[in-house]
Amino acid sequence: MDNITLIGMPGSGKSTVGVLLAKFLGYGFLDVDLVIQQRENALLQDILDRRGVEAFLDAEERAVRQLRCTRQVIAPGGSAVCREGAALHLKSLGPVVYLQVPLEELNRRIHNLSTRGIAMQPGQTLADVMAFRAPLYNKYADLVLDCPAGQSLDRTARLLLERLKERGLVP
């Protein structure tokens, strides 16, 4: 399979880095959050508010498991790894890259935590979500890319391209 999937926390740059990487490779870009919104005919935050986190994760898994694509950079939501079926399907589509961004940087980047459509239980903090998800990101990643605070997303995309080429994962 010749897709590349980017996983990581909300605010890690999956969408922006994904678009840049797709341009570098001549691939398409697939934003799974948009697929979910189209399938469910609702915004992510509305799904979370009306149906709850578990129903959202189920909808996300259904959307991910129906992906059939080639030569795409795929950016699923940060919670895609919370359902094993979704995570394993992403792995079946090609290499999975974890964009590992420090919590302090995520807090700096995310200003709309309550309206961004992040699958988190009431009362949870971004630190709580990261503590739960980080082991899952590491479990499903074929490659972990450290993204230090202050590094531009363009630089992240260029470093990722280099690492993918070094490993023979892209031409």
Side-chain angles (χ1 to χ4, degrees):
M1 294 291 166
D2 56 357
N3 301 292
I4 304 290
T5 297
L6 305 181
I7 61 173
M9 286 290 290
S12 63
K14 296 180 299 290
S15 294
T16 303
V17 171
V19 167
L20 293 169
L21 184 63
K23 286 181 180 179
F24 296 156
L25 292 170
Y27 282 19
F29 174 74
L30 198 153
D31 185 327
V32 178
D33 285 349
L34 297 178
V35 173
I36 295 167
Q37 288 182 166
Q38 290 171 344
R39 284 177 46 91
E40 301 296 319
N41 199 29
L43 298 175
L44 300 180
Q45 190 62 52
D46 291 341
I47 298 167
L48 287 161
D49 291 344
R50 293 187 183 136
R51 301 185 216 164
V53 172
E54 293 303 313
F56 174 87
L57 294 174
D58 291 342
E60 181 176 47
E61 181 180 14
R62 284 191 303 273
V64 167
R65 291 180 70 146
Q66 290 187 350
L67 294 178
R68 304 286 182 270
C69 53
T70 58
R71 295 179 52 84
Q72 298 288 313
V73 176
I74 303 166
S79 54
V81 296
C82 295
R83 291 285 194 263
E84 186 177 40
L88 292 176
H89 184 71
L90 290 169
K91 284 187 73 67
S92 77
L93 296 173
V96 174
V97 178
Y98 171 25
L99 300 181
Q100 188 173 26
V101 177
L103 179 61
E104 301 75 32
E105 180 70 6
L106 296 174
N107 279 321
R108 189 184 66 74
R109 292 181 185 179
I110 298 175
H111 305 288
N112 53 346
L113 197 57
S114 63
T115 59
R116 187 173 166 140
I118 299 172
M120 51 195 295
Q121 298 292 347
Q124 277 192 317
T125 65
L126 205 54
D128 297 330
V129 173
M130 187 173 196
F132 176 77
R133 291 184 190 172
L136 296 172
Y137 295 138
N138 281 299
K139 175 182 178 179
Y140 294 114
D142 298 299
L143 171 66
V144 176
L145 185 70
D146 187 44
C147 306
Q151 178 172 281
S152 75
L153 295 175
D154 180 71
R155 177 78 178 130
T156 298
R158 291 178 188 282
L159 287 172
L160 176 53
L161 180 61
E162 288 176 22
R163 293 279 302 278
L164 291 168
K165 285 183 176 181
E166 287 169 3
R167 290 180 164 224
L169 298 173
V170 296

